[in-house]
Amino acid sequence: MDLLALTDFNLVARHGGFGKAARACDRPKATLSRRVAELESSLGLRLFERGARALKLTQEGQALYERTAALLAEIDSAATEIALGGGVPHGRLRVSAPLLFSQTAMGKLAADFALRYPAVRLEVTTEDRSVDMVEEGYDLVIRVNPAVDANLVGRILLRDRLVVVASPQLARPADGAAVPAVVRDAGNVAGAWRVRAAGGVEDIPFEPVLSLSSMIMVPDAVRAGVGAACLPISLVSHDLAAGALVHWGDVDGPEIALWALYPSRRLLSARVSAFLAYLKEAFPKGAPEELAAYLD
């Protein structure tokens, strides 16, 4: 297979058209079109469906792109690293991280990593949605309790747990009445938190009185006495230790696991390996206490 033609095919697939790809690499559109046509001819497959205004990957083209995009990036990275004299982390590193982790820790993490590895251009995007790493060009994705994906491998970066907390001034109802609650986003429906406390497992009914779009805002409202809330222990452990908040119980349920995910263990670039090692150094045990200490 012609690697140059395969590279041009990946370029067109990534940019979604011959014109966009030509502008991105400053090469003639006709050259890219010819190269892709030659690749299709050599494979005996149609890789793109060519419409009047749109270019779309065929099923075979999509499969080829998904299997070769990371390989070509690794070949390019290996060649550059050899030219630079070894596996020195360098180049662009694109990371997608969830909102709360980005707001609380990623700024400091990214800054320290940038100082340690000046040849790496780190780009962090904050988003909670599921992303297609290959299609959107991410090298590493950080997610909370991600769904199983056979195309990705990864490791647990941090573990956390949910707790119900309140201001010391907020009395906990003794008659089973609902407690006023501060909730995240659109959780405006009354319900109950099932918690494990000294007396065993029990339900704490709640009635939302304040809804906030970001979890980082919730502790402020809880400290002010607006209502109780269900929050990660790492976010409120300092308030609990200082007596600014009181602990009503641990939420009964699965743990919160923050995963670092990447497409391939076999072909891991030096910059991704360096970032993973750096995260492991920042949180060696992956315990919520480590994240809480890091945020202090």
Side-chain angles (χ1 to χ4, degrees), residues 70-95:
L71 294 172
L72 289 173
E74 182 65 20
I75 291 172
D76 181 66
S77 178
T80 305
E81 287 172 6
I82 291 171
L84 290 174
V88 179
H90 72 281
R92 187 175 71 161
L93 176 62
R94 297 195 69 224
V95 176

Side-chain angles (χ1 to χ4, degrees), residues 11 104 173 208 241 246 250 288:
L11 185 68
T104 55
V246 293
D250 290 1

